[in-house]
Amino acid sequence: MNTWYLALDCSMEGQTRVLVIAQNGTTAVREPVRAQEAVAVVDRAIQSHQLDTKGIRGTIVATGVGSFMATRISVTAANGLAAGWNVPAVAVAPAQLSDDFSWAQAEALFAGVPATASVTAEYSAEPNIRIPKSHVV
C-alpha cells in the first residue's frame, strides 16, 4: 500500500490547489474553482492518482492568507477529512506549501503530532460578514 499526505490550499482567489505528497514525489492539482468545491477537487485528485485512503498519513492546510470564507472552508475540509480518515491535520502558511513540497518535509511536519490533532483557522484580516438587518414594522 502506498502512503501519502494530502495538502489543501484555497488561499488563492478562484483557485483550489491540492497536493498529493508521496514518497516517490509530489503532484500538484490546480483547478479554477472556488473553495466551496475543495472536497470535490480532493476527491478527483484521489481518484486520478488511484490512491487508497488507507494509506493517508495526514492532512495539511494552508491558513493565514486568503479570504475569510476560503480559509474557513479549507480548514473545515482538512479537519473533516482527517477525522474521517483517523489521521492528524496540521496548518502551514501558504508560502511554505510549494508545489514541490517533499515527503521529508511532510514527515518532519508531522513528527510528534498526535493522531487526533486538528487545525484552528488563522485569518489575515477581520471577517466582513455583517449584513444589516432590516427592521420589520
Side-chain angles (χ1 to χ4, degrees), residues 51-103:
L51 297 169
D52 182 349
T53 56
K54 292 178 184 164
I56 183 79
R57 306 230 357 215
T59 63
I60 304 166
V61 62
T63 66
V65 177
S67 78
F68 179 81
M69 188 61 76
T71 300
R72 287 180 56 165
I73 290 168
S74 59
V75 167
T76 300
N79 282 334
L81 291 167
W85 291 327
N86 199 29
V87 297
V90 297
V92 297
Q96 290 179 271
L97 202 54
S98 64
D99 283 354
D100 61 353
F101 195 87
S102 70
W103 177 262

